[in-house]
Amino acid sequence: MAIMVTGGAGYIGSHMVLALADRGEKVVVIDNLSTGFPWALPPNVALRGGDVGDAGFVQSVIEEFDVTEIAHFAAKIVVPESVVNPMLYYGNNTAKSRILFETAVRCGVKRVIFSSTAAVYGDVSGAPVSEDLAPNPVSPYGRSKLMTEWMLEDVSRAHDLKFIALRYFNVAGADPQGRSGQSTPNATHLIKVAVQTALGQRSHLDIFGTDYPTRDGSCIRDYIHVTDLASAHVDALAYLRRGGDSMIMNCGYGQGFSVLEVVDVVRKVTGVNFKANLVPRRPGDPASIVAKSDKIRAVLGWKPEHDNLEEIVKAAHGWERHLATRNS
Ligand code: UD1
C-alpha cells in the first residue's frame, strides 16, 4: 500500500512528501517535471515521470505500488496567468483531475486529499471567510479548482472514495531543515519576489494596487508556512483513515497582512531597504482574503507550529540564498 503524491516534486507537494517520508509512510510521486525538481525528493521516495492526465500512466503507477490513497497537488497556480490563458487552467486543473479521479475510482483508490484554494471564494473583503460562504471565484484559476471540488463531492457520493479538499490561503516559507522550498524560476509569489529583491536578484518589487478598500490600500492575504500546510495534509489523511467523512476545509492561520506590511517585514528580516514601486492593480486579485480556520483545527486537530510572518520570511530568505549558491 502506498500514497501517490501528484506534483510531488513541486513546491508544496515536495513538503508533503517530506512530511510523509519523515513519518515512515510509503510514497510514490508522479510529476511531469514541468515545474518540479527531482532533487526536492528524499532519496528513498520513488518518482515516476508522467502526467496526471494520462490515464494509462496513472493506472500503471497505481498498480505497480498498490496505491490506495492520492494527494493531488499537480496544478497550475498563477492567478494572472489564468486570466490570460483560461483554457490552460481548465485543461490542466479541471480536465486532467477528472481523468485522475476516474482512474482512481476504477483502480479502487479509497482516499484523496486535494489541493484547493482560497481563490474559490472570490472577492470577500472584510471578515475572515468560513467554508459556509458560497464560493464566487473571480479568476479562471479559482473556478478551475472549484469545479474540481465539485467533481470530488459527486464522486464521493457515487463511489467508495472519501476526500478532503484543503482550501489553501497564501503558502510561503520553506522546510525548516532546508531540504526544499519555493524553487520555481520566475515565480510570482509576493514573499519570494520580495526576498529575491532584497538579495539583489531583482531591481525592484512592484506593489500591485494601493487603492483597494483595505487598511492601507494594498491587498490583504493570510500567509501560511508550507510546513504547517504539509502537516494539515498528514492530519487530513489520518482523519480519513479513522473513517472520517469527506469535507472541504480552509487552511490558513486566520490573520491577514497587507502587501505593504509584508514588504516591511521582508525589509526588517533581511536588513535591506529594497526598492518597491507602487503600480496599478493586477487583474484577478481580490482585495482581501483571510481564513476562518476553526473547522480544520476542530475536525483534524491541526496545530500549526510556524504561525509567524517573520519566521516564514526568514525561511523563504534562507531558501533563496541556498538556491543562489546551488545555481551558481
Ligand atoms: C496565491 C496563490 C494561489 C492561491 C491564493 C490564495 C501563488 C502563485 N498563488 O495567490 O494559488 O490560491 O494565494 O489566496 O502562490 N503582489 C505584489 N507584487 C508582486 C507579487 C504579488 O504586489 O510582485 C501582491 C498581489 O497583487 C497580491 C499579493 O501580493 O495582492 C499576493 O500575491 P501572490 O503571492 O501572487 O498570491 P495570490 O495571487 O494571492
Side-chain angles (χ1 to χ4, degrees):
M1 297 225 306
I3 306 159
M4 175 193 274
V5 181
T6 78
Y11 172 43
I12 302 173
S14 65
H15 287 81
M16 172 63 163
V17 171
L18 290 169
L20 290 169
D22 287 348
R23 289 161 175 82
E25 298 271 1
K26 191 173 170 207
V27 182
V28 56
V29 168
I30 64 170
D31 201 302
N32 65 12
L33 300 178
S34 58
T35 54
F37 301 95
W39 53 252
L41 299 172
N44 58 341
V45 166
L47 168 66
R48 294 289 178 270
D51 204 282
V52 290
D54 178 345
F57 163 70
V58 171
Q59 181 167 345
S60 71
V61 178
I62 290 175
E63 287 170 357
E64 180 185 354
F65 290 89
D66 189 16
V67 169
T68 51
E69 301 168 318
I70 296 178
H72 178 32
F73 294 89
K76 294 272 173 205
I77 59 157
V78 182
V79 173
E81 182 185 46
S82 80
V83 176
V84 176
N85 193 352
M87 284 305 126
L88 180 66
Y89 279 70
Y90 292 124
N92 207 85
N93 294 359
T94 314
K96 286 186 182 178
S97 293
R98 194 200 72 76
I99 294 169
L100 175 71
F101 300 152
E102 185 178 51
T103 312
V105 168
R106 190 172 62 244
C107 296
V109 169
K110 299 287 178 245
R111 290 171 282 276
V112 171
I113 313 293
F114 172 58
S115 306
S116 189
T117 170
V120 302
Y121 290 114
D123 223 333
V124 286
S125 301
V129 282
S130 93
E131 298 83 353
D132 303 331
L133 189 79
N136 185 21
V138 294
S139 67
Y141 167 67
R143 289 166 182 260
S144 72
K145 288 281 188 174
L146 180 59
M147 285 193 261
T148 310
E149 285 188 3
W150 286 341
M151 281 194 281
L152 278 172
E153 286 178 329
D154 292 335
V155 165
S156 70
R157 279 186 209 112
H159 302 284
D160 179 21
L161 180 150
K162 293 274 197 292
F163 80 93
I164 296 288
L166 294 175
R167 291 179 174 165
Y168 307 166
F169 286 65
N170 286 57
V171 188
D175 175 45
Q177 294 178 49
R179 297 170 294 179
S180 189
Q182 168 53 267
S183 311
T184 320
N186 309 316
T188 55
H189 302 66
L190 175 63
I191 290 179
K192 182 171 175 89
V193 172
V195 295
Q196 286 179 328
T197 312
L199 287 170
Q201 297 169 5
R202 297 178 186 242
S203 59
H204 68 280
L205 171 85
D206 283 332
I207 295 176
F208 298 126
T210 47
D211 58 347
Y212 286 97
T214 58
R215 53 182 174 260
D216 62 19
S218 66
C219 289
I220 292 179
R221 298 287 184 273
D222 184 343
Y223 294 90
I224 171 176
H225 194 297
V226 65
T227 300
D228 279 337
L229 183 68
S231 78
H233 289 72
V234 172
D235 293 344
L237 201 55
Y239 161 84
L240 289 181
R241 287 175 180 173
R242 292 194 298 271
D245 276 335
S246 296
M247 224 173 270
I248 294 171
M249 298 174 188
N250 287 342
C251 198
Y253 293 141
Q255 199 190 346
F257 292 91
S258 73
V259 175
L260 292 168
E261 288 163 351
V262 171
V263 168
D264 278 349
V265 171
V266 176
R267 282 177 172 155
K268 181 177 159 209
V269 164
T270 61
V272 182
N273 191 19
F274 57 86
K275 189 173 171 199
N277 293 341
L278 309 183
V279 302
R281 293 181 180 196
R282 192 177 71 171
D285 276 341
S288 169
I289 181 148
V290 177
K292 202 163 185 312
S293 58
D294 311 39
K295 186 172 177 180
I296 187 167
R297 292 172 197 264
V299 177
L300 300 187
W302 178 60
K303 290 192 181 66
E305 291 177 355
H306 309 278
D307 178 359
N308 180 301
L309 188 58
E310 279 196 22
E311 183 187 341
I312 292 172
V313 169
K314 273 183 198 152
H317 185 230
W319 180 253
E320 215 53 54
R321 281 193 301 194
H322 165 78
L323 272 185
T325 53
R326 193 185 179 98
N327 298 334
S328 63

